[in-house]
Amino acid sequence: MDEIIVYFLEDTELAEYEAVSKGYRNDVYVSVSNTLYSIIVYDIVRLQQDFESELEQYGYYSIEPNLVLVKEVSKENIHLTVKELNEQKYFDNLKPVDKNSIEELI
């Protein structure tokens, strides 16, 4: 089984509260068997708001690479979703981040 570690650049109660309130996090990194990936986490409400806003402003929506949808953008939901995605080999399809970046997260 792959070792999975989820990192948050801002790992405080305030950051958790703000992420849940805003409906997204762009400071999430996942290490799978010592390979590091950056993911962008959204809930469906925020994704729809961004979609409608960009569609109105630009006429199209440019989706974020490595987008992961969760029920709520809480650390608990992110951990559960990452675990399930790993079992489905989701991270096999992503481009890893430079391995030196993991030292900055610890």
Side-chain angles (χ1 to χ4, degrees):
M1 181 98 179
D2 297 329
E3 181 185 8
I4 305 168
I5 303 170
V6 179
Y7 298 97
F8 302 89
L9 293 182
E10 294 289 328
D11 194 9
T12 64
E13 286 183 30
L14 178 59
E16 171 85 354
Y17 172 78
E18 289 177 345
V20 171
S21 297
K22 292 188 295 187
Y24 78 94
R25 282 193 86 139
N26 60 359
D27 68 335
V28 182
Y29 291 83
V30 179
S31 176
V32 180
S33 297
N34 292 322
T35 302
L36 189 65
Y37 303 93
S38 172
I39 60 173
I40 308 297
V41 183
Y42 272 79
D43 67 23
I44 193 66
V45 172
R46 179 58 187 257
L47 181 63
Q48 183 162 357
Q49 290 170 344
D50 284 2
F51 172 80
E52 291 171 357
S53 175
E54 284 197 28
L55 195 61
E56 184 177 309
Q57 188 171 3
Y58 305 113
Y60 65 93
Y61 178 71
S62 178
I63 196 161
E64 295 278 354
N66 302 353
L67 180 71
V68 172
L69 291 176
V70 293
K71 182 177 181 178
E72 177 184 65
V73 186
S74 66
K75 286 173 46 177
E76 179 182 2
N77 279 329
I78 293 169
H79 281 281
L80 291 172
T81 302
V82 163
K83 179 180 179 257
E84 292 299 322
L85 289 174
N86 185 58
E87 290 178 11
Q88 296 174 16
K89 304 294 184 197
Y90 172 78
F91 295 100
D92 290 353
N93 297 308
L94 300 185
K95 181 180 176 183
V97 176
D98 180 15
K99 285 191 175 193
N100 294 333
S101 299
I102 197 165
E103 297 303 322
E104 297 170 12
L105 301 175
I106 298 175

